[in-house]
Amino acid sequence: MARRNYHHGELRAALLDAAEALVRELGADGWSLREASARVGVSSSAAYHHFASRDALVRALRQRVLGELGERLSQEVGRTAGPEAGADHQRRLVAVGRTYVQWAVEDPSVARLAFGAGAPATGDPASDSTSDAATPPHPHDVLDAELDRLVEVGGLPAAARPGADFVVWAAVHGLATLLVDGLARLDDPRAVAREAERVVRAVLTGLTHEAVPSQGRPTPHSAHTERRRERGADN
């Protein structure tokens, strides 16, 4: 193995790049920290200066991937906004859902890593050490912001807003999973985009006409929303 010299920050980024390439080649679980180290031409002991274990490297990669996805969602929403949107208040959320599904279909191994089993739980030191502030914006925050905006413009009743983020996410992620796992097939990328749009619009229409149950609604949460709530409580 040819040894290479890296500045401190460069080695961390190089290891993350190598890990991401290995995920695409071998899957989320088919490689080791030693392989990632060899890929960038350093010893395992050098890698341990940045990541205490393979799990720590995976967690850091997951955070980076989520940040990149969040940025991609934000950019697509920005491109969708404008006078041409007219009275189509759902258009921005359609962009979120469409981009999410396209990302998963285009990069299935990395998508499985980002949302697969083993995601860090609230209170995990490794998760806390890599704050969401390091990977802005989180995809869930993008979805939340667009749902809030939809309420503000009158496209979604305020009574339907609590938990709507998890309803939309469940539908969009479900479509993405069906396509990635081969349980459903679409002929081309344009068909994927159209199907994602149909799913988002169907869910939003259903939420708009949903009756408020007398017993109230469930209150789903995720590791990210729990961390966000904890940060809010500390402020």
Side-chain angles (χ1 to χ4, degrees):
M1 178 178 67
R3 301 290 182 182
R4 294 187 58 183
N5 294 320
Y6 290 89
H7 293 297
H8 186 75
E10 291 176 346
L11 177 54
R12 187 181 191 278
L15 287 166
L16 287 167
D17 290 342
E20 189 167 349
L22 286 165
V23 167
R24 291 194 176 98
E25 294 169 20
L26 303 173
D29 301 316
W31 52 276
S32 66
L33 182 58
R34 182 183 297 274
E35 288 175 280
S37 304
R39 182 70 62 100
V40 299
V42 300
S43 65
S44 297
S45 59
Y48 284 128
H49 287 295
H50 297 275
F51 303 104
S53 65
R54 179 190 179 280
D55 286 346
L57 174 56
V58 168
R59 285 191 291 267
L61 178 58
R62 180 181 284 117
Q63 291 285 346
R64 189 175 80 167
V65 167
L66 288 174
E68 291 170 349
L69 173 59
E71 187 61 35
R72 179 171 170 178
L73 296 178
S74 293
Q75 289 174 356
E76 288 301 318
V77 167
R79 279 192 278 268
T80 302
E84 67 277 7
D88 185 0
H89 299 312
Q90 296 180 351
R91 184 171 176 175
R92 292 163 65 106
L93 275 161
V94 167
V96 171
R98 181 180 61 239
T99 304
Y100 185 102
V101 174
Q102 289 172 327
W103 163 78
V105 170
E106 292 166 3
D107 209 352
S109 294
V110 171
R112 288 191 180 99
L113 175 87
F115 293 107
T122 301
D124 183 339
S127 172
D128 294 340
S129 65
T130 307
S131 68
D132 292 316
T135 56
H138 192 281
H140 201 132
D141 294 339
V142 178
L143 175 58
D144 271 339
E146 290 308 315
L147 283 166
D148 290 342
R149 186 205 60 83
L150 191 61
V151 172
E152 290 172 2
V153 299
L156 182 70
R161 177 62 184 90
D165 45 334
F166 284 93
V167 176
V168 175
W169 184 22
V172 171
H173 188 75
L175 174 60
T177 300
L178 289 172
L179 294 173
V180 166
D181 290 347
L183 298 174
R185 298 179 180 85
L186 291 167
D187 295 334
D188 56 60
R190 289 176 296 180
V192 171
R194 291 197 303 271
E195 188 68 7
E197 177 172 358
R198 183 183 183 188
V199 166
V200 173
R201 291 192 186 277
V203 170
L204 293 175
T205 299
L207 287 169
T208 299
H209 297 287
E210 181 185 28
V212 179
S214 59
Q215 69 273 28
R217 295 190 177 93
T219 54
H221 53 88
S222 67
H224 174 70
T225 59
E226 288 176 353
R227 288 195 298 273
R228 190 172 62 189
R229 183 178 58 199
E230 289 173 356
R231 288 197 300 269
D234 291 340
N235 293 335

